[in-house]
Coordinates of all heavy atoms in Angstrom, one line a residue:
V1 N 2.4 -7.5 -2.2 CA 1.9 -7.6 -0.8 C 3.2 -7.7 0.2 O 3.2 -7.0 1.2 CB 1.0 -8.9 -0.6 CG1 0.7 -9.1 0.9 CG2 -0.2 -8.7 -1.4
Q2 N 4.1 -8.6 -0.2 CA 5.3 -8.7 0.6 C 6.0 -7.4 0.8 O 6.5 -7.0 1.9 CB 6.3 -9.7 0.0 CG 5.8 -11.1 0.0 CD 6.8 -12.0 -0.8 OE1 7.5 -11.6 -1.7 NE2 6.8 -13.3 -0.5
T3 N 6.2 -6.7 -0.3 CA 6.9 -5.4 -0.3 C 6.2 -4.4 0.5 O 6.8 -3.7 1.4 CB 7.0 -4.9 -1.7 OG1 7.7 -5.9 -2.5 CG2 7.8 -3.6 -1.8
R4 N 4.8 -4.2 0.4 CA 4.1 -3.3 1.2 C 4.2 -3.6 2.7 O 4.5 -2.7 3.5 CB 2.6 -3.3 0.8 CG 1.7 -2.5 1.7 CD 0.3 -2.5 1.3 NE -0.4 -3.8 1.1 CZ -0.8 -4.6 2.1 NH1 -0.7 -4.1 3.4 NH2 -1.4 -5.7 1.9
L5 N 4.1 -4.8 3.0 CA 4.2 -5.2 4.5 C 5.6 -5.0 5.0 O 5.8 -4.5 6.1 CB 3.8 -6.6 4.7 CG 2.3 -6.9 4.4 CD1 2.0 -8.4 4.5 CD2 1.4 -6.2 5.4
A6 N 6.6 -5.3 4.2 CA 8.0 -5.0 4.6 C 8.3 -3.6 4.8 O 9.2 -3.2 5.6 CB 9.0 -5.7 3.5
L7 N 7.6 -2.7 4.0 CA 7.8 -1.3 4.1 C 7.0 -0.7 5.3 O 7.2 0.5 5.7 CB 7.3 -0.6 2.9 CG 8.2 -0.7 1.6 CD1 7.6 -0.2 0.4 CD2 9.6 -0.1 1.8
G8 N 6.2 -1.6 6.0 CA 5.5 -1.1 7.2 C 4.1 -0.7 7.0 O 3.5 -0.1 7.9
Y9 N 3.6 -0.9 5.8 CA 2.2 -0.5 5.6 C 1.3 -1.7 5.7 O 1.3 -2.6 5.0 CB 2.0 0.1 4.1 CG 2.7 1.4 4.0 CD1 4.1 1.4 3.6 CD2 2.1 2.6 4.3 CE1 4.7 2.7 3.5 CE2 2.7 3.8 4.2 CZ 4.1 3.8 3.8 OH 4.7 5.0 3.7
K10 N 0.4 -1.6 6.8 CA -0.4 -2.8 7.1 C -1.6 -2.8 6.1 O -2.2 -3.9 5.9 CB -0.9 -2.7 8.5 CG 0.2 -2.9 9.5 CD -0.3 -2.8 10.9 CE 0.9 -3.0 11.9 NZ 0.5 -3.0 13.3
T11 N -2.0 -1.7 5.6 CA -3.2 -1.7 4.7 C -2.9 -1.2 3.3 O -2.0 -0.4 3.1 CB -4.3 -0.8 5.3 OG1 -3.9 0.6 5.2 CG2 -4.7 -1.2 6.7
Q12 N -3.6 -1.7 2.4 CA -3.5 -1.3 1.0 C -3.8 0.2 0.9 O -3.2 0.9 0.1 CB -4.4 -2.1 0.1 CG -4.0 -3.5 -0.1 CD -5.0 -4.2 -1.0 OE1 -6.0 -3.7 -1.5 NE2 -4.8 -5.5 -1.2
S13 N -4.8 0.6 1.6 CA -5.3 2.0 1.6 C -4.2 3.0 2.0 O -4.0 4.0 1.3 CB -6.5 2.1 2.5 OG -6.9 3.5 2.5
A14 N -3.4 2.6 3.1 CA -2.4 3.5 3.5 C -1.2 3.6 2.5 O -0.7 4.6 2.2 CB -1.8 3.0 4.9
F15 N -0.9 2.4 1.9 CA 0.1 2.4 0.9 C -0.3 3.2 -0.4 O 0.5 4.0 -0.9 CB 0.4 0.9 0.5 CG 1.6 0.7 -0.3 CD1 2.9 1.0 0.2 CD2 1.5 0.3 -1.6 CE1 4.0 0.8 -0.6 CE2 2.6 0.1 -2.5 CZ 3.9 0.4 -1.9
A16 N -1.5 2.9 -0.8 CA -2.0 3.6 -2.0 C -2.0 5.1 -1.8 O -1.7 5.9 -2.7 CB -3.4 3.1 -2.4
G17 N -2.4 5.5 -0.5 CA -2.4 7.0 -0.2 C -1.0 7.6 -0.3 O -0.9 8.7 -0.8
Q18 N 0.0 6.8 0.1 CA 1.4 7.3 0.0 C 1.8 7.5 -1.5 O 2.6 8.3 -1.8 CB 2.4 6.4 0.7 CG 2.3 6.5 2.1 CD 2.7 7.9 2.6 OE1 3.8 8.4 2.2 NE2 1.9 8.5 3.4
L19 N 1.2 6.7 -2.4 CA 1.5 6.8 -3.8 C 0.7 7.8 -4.5 O 0.9 8.2 -5.6 CB 1.2 5.4 -4.5 CG 2.1 4.3 -4.0 CD1 1.6 3.0 -4.7 CD2 3.5 4.5 -4.4
G20 N -0.4 8.3 -3.8 CA -1.2 9.3 -4.4 C -2.3 8.8 -5.3 O -2.8 9.5 -6.2
I21 N -2.6 7.5 -5.1 CA -3.7 6.9 -5.9 C -4.7 6.3 -5.0 O -4.5 6.2 -3.8 CB -3.1 5.8 -6.8 CG1 -2.5 4.6 -6.0 CG2 -2.1 6.3 -7.8 CD1 -2.1 3.4 -6.8
G22 N -5.9 6.0 -5.5 CA -7.0 5.4 -4.7 C -6.7 3.9 -4.4 O -6.1 3.2 -5.1
S23 N -7.3 3.5 -3.2 CA -7.1 2.2 -2.8 C -7.7 1.2 -3.8 O -7.1 0.1 -4.1 CB -7.8 2.0 -1.4 OG -7.7 0.7 -1.0
P24 N -8.9 1.5 -4.4 CA -9.4 0.5 -5.4 C -8.5 0.3 -6.6 O -8.4 -0.8 -7.1 CB -10.8 1.1 -5.8 CG -11.2 2.0 -4.7 CD -9.9 2.5 -4.1
Q25 N -7.9 1.4 -7.0 CA -6.9 1.4 -8.2 C -5.8 0.4 -7.8 O -5.3 -0.4 -8.6 CB -6.4 2.7 -8.5 CG -5.4 2.7 -9.7 CD -4.8 4.1 -10.0 OE1 -5.2 5.1 -9.4 NE2 -3.9 4.1 -11.0
Y26 N -5.3 0.5 -6.6 CA -4.1 -0.3 -6.2 C -4.5 -1.7 -5.9 O -3.8 -2.7 -6.2 CB -3.4 0.3 -5.0 CG -2.2 -0.5 -4.6 CD1 -1.0 -0.4 -5.3 CD2 -2.3 -1.3 -3.5 CE1 0.1 -1.2 -4.9 CE2 -1.2 -2.1 -3.1 CZ -0.1 -2.0 -3.8 OH 1.0 -2.8 -3.5

């Protein structure tokens, strides 16, 4: 969580999308 927010991704969905995986998986 800390890492995602520090990278500027407010949502899990946006971060997961950048990884190419689904939000539920992440």
Side-chain angles (χ1 to χ4, degrees):
V1 173
Q2 291 173 335
T3 302
R4 173 177 55 80
L5 293 173
L7 288 169
Y9 291 90
K10 294 181 181 181
T11 66
Q12 291 177 359
S13 180
F15 189 70
Q18 286 297 308
L19 296 174
I21 63 173
S23 182
Q25 180 185 356
Y26 180 76

